[in-house]
């Protein structure tokens, strides 16, 4: 696996564990800073909606996201699943596309308990229905 | 110090080398495009006459030096079937590194792209060549489809790479090539050039390469202004000692240009009746002769989407290659692959290629399957996508720890490349 070998800030794993274990946040957005390390850019509180999350994604720069998606199963019971999203909009510059794509596995493998992964390269690919479909 | 866990400060630039069947690209990591793009051919003169010694030295020749006419010079493709490739490979690398980039390979780490089918023997041989023959300090090798996929921002995609001699459909999943699902055919841009060449010959067109004539232009000037049309005169230069391979290479350069400037992929399946009235396009050959091209402008590239290529058994279109490759992959990832078809390679640059591919793929798949093609608009990105990906990767400060260093090579041998660059 080709790996750009960026440093991953400890805060990234801490934020993921908070989402997974403490369960007091809805999502975490990670960004690559200075072409050298992955940091936490933003944490979404429990009250935030899926739309809040989508509108905080930049339209021309990639990001990584973990989202704790809550949904009601057919039997009426609510359930939570963690989705990893590789946001890579097609109008990003090629350098950023390359850096994020060659960093994704490095970041993702530090998070245990990811249920599904979504690669989204346009706004339509990050719509809520896509997440629902991925979780099926 | 490179790799091996020792952090290397980013002082010198890495060099990225992409040796294709038709073109070799080389340049500095961090730059947007390769500085050097030369044909992957070597010119040889057997038993050169010492009295006619060339100012540029003796064979082998490569790069710009093969473009110049030389008596008895034979051109060989670096990757030609049969024969020993290693010498030619070394020669083309030497040309790119020492003569064109004009740098000392001992001072720069090298990142190479390799074909997507994993070939342990070739990559070990390449590693050995770079460390032994060029004494490089550090090395890395990446599969071409992975670089193209990453450069398009995707760690999972289906890369359709149509080059000069080969077309590949390569599924990449989480950064790994799914080896068993690769589909490869020996067709490409040069297949189309072949067909056009045969067509022109059958029409009786005489394609005269640049070295067979001198062209002079005469025009009348009166009061500082050109009067009337300029007159061209051609003077034949007899070349009894031209090697057939050089003649063929030179003619194909012209035919390739005709193809690139006039050919288009049609929106729908080609038929003589529906294309009876397409306006013809004219092309001026180097000697001034005009060639008229009618519906063959559409008929010939149609071969890329049909099963009519002579001598290529089992091929029924590039769209079918994508379909077959995805069908060989696990059910769970097919949707994602169809939604991320990365189109690259010079042969995909025909006008209408991606639209037609999209249409044909949509016809092949089930109704609810979304097909999305990713094809950079810029010709440069499409032709050099894997070089560009390598250039970015090798320029990152954090990547400098990933190289296989000379010290590691000396300690463990070339086979370590299998572990360093899995």
């Amino acid at each position: 696996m080709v790996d750009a070998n960026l440093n991953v800030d400890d805060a990234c794993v801490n934020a993921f564990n908070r989402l997974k274990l403490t369960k007091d946040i809805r999502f975490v957005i990670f960004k690559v800073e200075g072409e050298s390390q992955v940091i936490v850019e933003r944490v979404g509180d429990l009250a935030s909606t899926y739309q809040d999350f989508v509108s905080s994604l930049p339209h021309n720069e990639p990001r990584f996201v973990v989202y704790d998606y809550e949904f009601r199963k057919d039997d009426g019971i609510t359930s939570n699943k963690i989705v990893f999203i590789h946001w890579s909009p097609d109008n990003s510059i090629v350098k950023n596309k390359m850096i994020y794509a060659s960093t994704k596995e490095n970041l993702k493998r530090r998070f245990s308990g990811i249920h599904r992964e979504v690669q989204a390269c346009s706004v339509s690919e990050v719509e809520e229905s896509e997440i629902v479909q991925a979780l099926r | 110090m490179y790799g091996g866990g020792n952090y290397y400060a980013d002082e010198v630039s890495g060099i990225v080398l992409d040796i294709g069947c038709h073109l070799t690209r080389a340049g500095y990591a961090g730059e947007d495009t390769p500085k050097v793009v030369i044909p992957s051919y070597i010119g040889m003169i057997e038993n050169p006459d010492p009295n006619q010694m060339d100012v540029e030295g003796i064979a082998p020749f490569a790069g710009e030096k093969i473009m110049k006419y030389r008596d008895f010079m034979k051109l060989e493709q670096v990757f030609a079937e049969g024969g020993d490739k290693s010498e030619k490979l070394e020669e083309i690398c030497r040309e790119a590194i020492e003569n064109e980039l004009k740098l000392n390979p001992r001072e720069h780490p090298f990142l190479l792209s390799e074909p997507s089918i994993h070939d342990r023997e070739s990559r070990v041989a390449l590693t050995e060549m770079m460390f032994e023959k060029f004494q490089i300090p550090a090395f890395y090798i990446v599969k071409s489809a992975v670089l193209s996929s990453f450069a398009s921002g995707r760690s999972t995609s289906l890369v359709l790479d149509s080059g000069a001699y080969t077309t590949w459909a390569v599924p990449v999943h989480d950064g790994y090539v799914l080896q068993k699902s690769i589909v490869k055919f020996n067709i490409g841009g040069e297949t189309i050039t072949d067909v056009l060449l045969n067509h022109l010959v059958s029409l009786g067109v005489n394609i005269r390469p640049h070295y067979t004539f001198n062209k002079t232009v005469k025009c009348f000037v009166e009061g500082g202004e050109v009067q009337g049309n300029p007159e061209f005169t051609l003077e034949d230069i007899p070349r009894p000692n031209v090697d057939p391979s050089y003649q063929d290479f030179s003619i194909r350069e012209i035919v390739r240009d005709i193809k690139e400037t006039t050919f288009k992929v049609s929106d729908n399946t080609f038929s003589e009746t529906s294309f009876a009235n397409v306006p013809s396009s004219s092309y001026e050959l180097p000697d001034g002769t005009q060639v008229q091209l009618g519906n063959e402008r559409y008929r010939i590239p149609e071969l890329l989407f049909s099963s009519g290529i002579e001598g290529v058994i089992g091929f029924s279109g590039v769209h079918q290659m994508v379909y077959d490759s995805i069908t060989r992959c696990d059910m769970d990832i097919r949707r994602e692959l169809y939604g991320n078809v990365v189109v690259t390679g010079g042969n995909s640059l025909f006008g209408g290629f991606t639209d037609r591919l999209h249409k044909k793929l949509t016809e092949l798949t089930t109704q609810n399957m979304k097909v999305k093609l990713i094809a950079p608009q810029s010709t440069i990105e499409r032709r050099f996508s894997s070089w560009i990906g390598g250039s970015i990767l090798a320029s990152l400060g954090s990547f400098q720890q990933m190289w296989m260093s000379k010290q590691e090579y000396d300690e463990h041998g070339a086979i370590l490349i299998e572990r360093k660059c899995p």
Side-chain angles (χ1 to χ4, degrees):
Chain A
M1 166 75 202
V2 182
D3 182 0
N5 192 36
L6 299 194
N7 180 45
V8 175
D9 187 12
D10 290 342
C12 297
V13 179
N14 293 342
F16 174 77
N17 286 336
R18 183 173 161 201
L19 176 108
K20 179 180 139 188
L21 303 168
T22 321
K23 293 178 183 298
D24 62 347
I25 49 176
R26 181 61 64 207
F27 62 86
V28 187
I29 299 180
F30 307 93
K31 71 178 280 192
V32 170
E33 191 186 55
E35 296 172 15
S36 62
Q37 72 164 345
V38 187
I39 59 162
V40 172
E41 182 188 47
R42 194 190 149 122
V43 171
D45 61 39
L46 267 190
S48 48
T49 63
Y50 190 81
Q51 210 41 55
D52 294 336
F53 147 67
V54 171
S55 50
S56 52
L57 287 174
H59 70 280
N60 60 357
E61 263 183 61
R63 290 289 184 268
F64 299 117
V65 182
V66 285
Y67 194 101
D68 186 12
Y69 194 79
E70 193 177 82
F71 61 106
R72 196 174 289 273
K73 291 198 286 190
D74 292 342
D75 55 11
I77 300 165
T78 56
S79 175
N80 284 55
K81 298 280 189 206
I82 301 172
V83 184
F84 182 97
I85 300 164
H86 174 191
W87 169 242
S88 183
D90 282 327
N91 54 355
S92 318
I93 59 169
V94 59
K95 185 169 196 172
N96 283 335
K97 290 181 192 174
M98 185 76 202
I99 293 175
Y100 278 78
S102 54
T103 298
K104 190 211 77 183
E105 282 298 305
N106 178 13
L107 180 67
K108 204 186 98 183
R109 69 157 184 257
R110 291 159 199 263
F111 302 156
S112 81
I114 301 284
H115 191 71
R116 281 283 188 274
E117 180 181 337
V118 171
Q119 172 176 269
C121 303
S122 66
V123 174
S124 68
E125 287 165 14
V126 77
E127 273 171 15
E128 193 163 1
S129 57
E130 293 288 323
I131 305 298
V132 173
Q133 186 169 27
L135 286 173
R136 274 217 183 109
Chain B
M1 191 50 95
Y2 300 93
N6 296 306
Y7 194 79
Y8 161 70
D10 196 3
E11 287 162 8
V12 292
S13 170
I15 303 300
V16 180
L17 200 55
D18 176 11
I19 311 162
C21 292
H22 184 60
L23 293 173
T24 293
R25 301 103 177 164
Y28 294 91
E31 294 192 352
D32 294 341
T33 51
K35 212 162 216 116
V36 170
V37 181
I38 52 174
S40 298
Y41 290 79
I42 302 294
M44 311 288 267
I45 300 177
E46 277 169 39
N47 311 316
D49 181 352
N51 298 322
Q52 304 214 334
M53 197 65 91
D54 223 291
V55 284
E56 285 169 310
I58 52 162
F61 299 106
E64 286 295 306
K65 294 191 282 295
I66 62 163
M67 307 306 262
K68 186 180 151 188
Y69 176 80
R70 285 181 169 85
D71 279 353
F72 303 113
M73 182 171 71
K74 185 178 170 189
L75 291 185
E76 277 182 35
Q77 249 182 295
V78 171
F79 293 108
E81 293 289 324
D84 185 17
K85 293 180 187 67
S86 62
E87 263 178 47
K88 288 183 278 180
L89 199 55
E90 185 185 333
E91 199 54 49
I92 201 77
C93 290
R94 198 168 293 289
E95 174 67 23
I97 299 166
E98 293 175 0
N99 297 339
E100 310 270 342
L101 287 173
K102 295 186 172 50
L103 54 84
N104 182 354
R106 293 165 184 250
E107 294 169 357
H108 301 263
F110 278 76
L111 184 142
L112 268 73
S113 72
E114 62 175 341
S116 297
I117 289 185
H118 194 85
D119 179 351
R120 182 171 155 153
E121 214 174 295
S122 305
R123 66 201 323 240
V124 165
L126 209 51
T127 309
E128 236 164 51
M129 179 185 84
M130 293 309 290
F131 281 115
E132 297 291 342
K133 305 282 186 185
F134 293 99
Q135 298 288 318
I136 62 167
F139 186 60
Y140 204 86
I141 192 161
V142 193
K143 294 190 169 50
S144 162
V146 172
L147 291 172
S148 298
S149 180
F150 280 13
S152 83
R154 288 154 170 88
S155 63
T156 295
S157 72
L158 187 290
V159 178
L160 177 72
D161 181 358
S162 193
Y165 293 95
T166 326
T167 299
W168 301 77
V170 182
V172 177
H173 185 242
D174 280 347
Y176 285 102
V177 168
L178 303 179
Q179 291 291 327
K180 288 176 181 160
S181 308
I182 296 175
V183 175
K184 178 196 171 199
F185 276 101
N186 291 332
I187 65 124
E190 289 308 281
T191 316
I192 302 300
T193 305
D194 272 338
V195 178
L196 174 58
L197 176 57
N198 291 337
H199 175 67
L200 292 171
V201 168
S202 76
L203 291 178
V205 178
N206 181 20
I207 302 162
R208 299 166 72 188
H210 64 92
Y211 60 85
T212 62
F213 59 83
N214 264 331
K215 192 171 171 181
T216 41
V217 186
K218 208 160 78 184
C219 52
F220 300 98
V221 183
E222 212 178 271
E225 274 180 40
V226 178
Q227 305 292 315
N229 290 329
E231 269 178 43
F232 293 96
T233 39
L234 289 186
E235 184 197 339
D236 283 325
I237 309 173
R239 298 289 193 189
N241 298 328
V242 65
D243 190 273
S245 63
Y246 184 79
Q247 184 175 12
D248 184 58
F249 178 85
S250 308
I251 290 175
R252 296 178 76 94
E253 290 273 304
I254 300 166
V255 177
R256 194 176 304 123
D257 191 60
I258 303 176
K259 175 191 81 172
E260 286 169 3
T261 49
T262 64
F263 276 20
K264 274 194 167 60
V265 172
S266 70
D267 300 340
N268 297 299
T269 307
F270 176 90
S271 74
E272 286 293 341
T273 45
S274 56
F275 282 78
N277 296 321
V278 292
S280 69
S281 176
S282 81
Y283 182 93
E284 189 183 312
L285 296 174
D287 66 358
T289 314
Q290 297 284 334
V291 183
Q292 298 295 324
L293 291 150
N295 69 10
E296 54 267 57
R297 289 165 53 213
Y298 294 91
R299 189 183 70 222
I300 298 175
E302 179 75 13
L303 289 169
L304 296 169
F305 293 92
S306 64
S307 48
I309 298 179
E310 226 175 292
V312 186
I313 300 154
F315 177 77
S316 45
V318 292
H319 57 292
Q320 190 69 42
M321 290 179 66
V322 173
Y323 177 83
D324 289 346
S325 174
I326 295 179
T327 308
R328 289 184 197 175
C329 295
D330 199 276
M331 196 85 91
D332 293 348
I333 64 164
R334 290 184 195 166
R335 175 172 294 276
E336 192 166 16
L337 293 175
Y338 276 118
N340 296 281
V341 178
V342 175
V343 180
T344 181
N347 192 39
S348 71
L349 285 165
F350 287 118
F353 183 96
T354 46
D355 290 342
R356 184 67 182 284
L357 177 62
H358 188 266
K359 194 169 177 177
K360 290 290 248 179
L361 266 179
T362 311
E363 281 167 20
L364 278 176
T365 52
T366 50
Q367 232 170 15
N368 61 354
M369 190 64 88
K370 192 185 129 208
V371 175
K372 183 175 161 191
L373 302 189
I374 301 95
Q377 286 300 305
S378 97
T379 310
I380 288 173
E381 261 185 67
R382 197 95 69 88
R383 288 176 67 204
F384 304 140
S385 68
S386 51
W387 188 93
I388 293 170
S391 168
I392 297 166
L393 190 66
S395 72
L396 298 173
S398 55
F399 185 77
Q400 306 311 316
Q401 289 175 67
M402 306 303 279
W403 301 102
M404 172 169 165
S405 69
K406 173 89 168 83
Q407 192 191 340
E408 286 174 306
Y409 171 79
D410 290 339
E411 277 170 28
H412 305 277
I415 192 68
L416 185 72
I417 199 70
E418 291 286 277
R419 234 185 55 218
K420 296 292 282 190
C421 313

